[in-house]
Amino acid sequence: MTDRKTIDEFLAHKRLAVVGVSRNAHDFSRSVFREFEKQGYDVVPVNPGTTEVEGKRCFARVSEIDPPVKAALLFTPADRTEDAVDDCASAHVDHIWMHRGAGGPGAVNQRAVSFCNEHAIAVVAGECPLMFLGHPGWPHRMHAFIRKLKHQYPN
């Protein structure tokens, strides 16, 4: 389990890439993208399948972002996360968050987590950032509450 210090360090980056953000405006990744923006973050979309997300230029790769970012939130399928982490490493990203919601592996890939650990890249593997942003909506507060009851909430 990721510790709260690593989560807070990630969230301290006010400019970050959202890798694998969907072209579908109703997708959960877009909701997260909008929430980060609402909370004052400079969010940079990354998806090789589109050139624009939420009115912002969308990059095909993290390594193409200029000015560069130091943090990346991954919404990639787990089998594509290693490639995304390699791209982040080549762009000198030092904080990576592999999103996982209520079910399934999300973006978490154990080989990618090991790569991050071996290369001094701080990694949050398997949390939903909406539980940790200020003023989360009720579903995210409930998710956090249940995780706390089960002693699964990061300290």
Side-chain angles (χ1 to χ4, degrees):
M1 181 185 331
T2 303
D3 63 24
R4 186 58 195 251
K5 180 178 182 258
T6 304
I7 289 168
D8 291 341
E9 288 171 353
F10 180 95
L11 294 174
H13 290 278
K14 294 302 182 183
R15 178 173 160 75
L16 59 102
V18 179
V19 181
V21 64
S22 179
R23 293 176 289 195
N24 177 351
H26 302 291
D27 187 80
F28 182 70
S29 65
R30 291 285 284 271
S31 297
V32 173
F33 185 93
R34 286 188 292 268
E35 186 60 30
F36 268 92
E37 277 196 315
K38 180 179 167 188
Q39 298 217 15
Y41 286 80
D42 179 11
V43 190
V44 182
V46 178
N47 181 329
T50 190
T51 58
E52 181 270 327
V53 169
E54 301 287 330
K56 292 183 144 190
R57 176 181 174 199
C58 186
F59 294 85
R61 301 171 49 88
V62 173
S63 56
E64 295 173 359
I65 299 172
D66 188 33
V69 297
K70 298 301 284 174
L73 171 58
L74 308 184
F75 280 98
T76 53
D79 64 350
R80 309 233 15 235
T81 295
E82 285 181 86
D83 292 336
V85 167
D86 286 342
D87 182 38
C88 288
S90 72
H92 307 289
V93 167
D94 55 22
H95 284 80
I96 293 175
W97 189 308
M98 297 176 193
H99 176 267
R100 176 178 17 220
V108 179
N109 174 302
Q110 288 308 312
R111 287 187 305 264
V113 171
S114 295
F115 178 91
C116 289
N117 291 331
E118 292 163 9
H119 292 87
I121 299 170
V123 62
V124 177
E127 301 290 346
C128 177
L130 294 183
M131 288 193 306
F132 304 97
L133 285 174
H135 313 295
W138 75 265
H140 310 292
R141 286 194 310 269
M142 180 59 73
H143 187 196
F145 176 73
I146 291 168
R147 298 273 315 275
K148 288 174 185 176
L149 286 177
K150 293 180 171 184
H151 305 286
Q152 297 172 340
Y153 192 81
N155 298 336

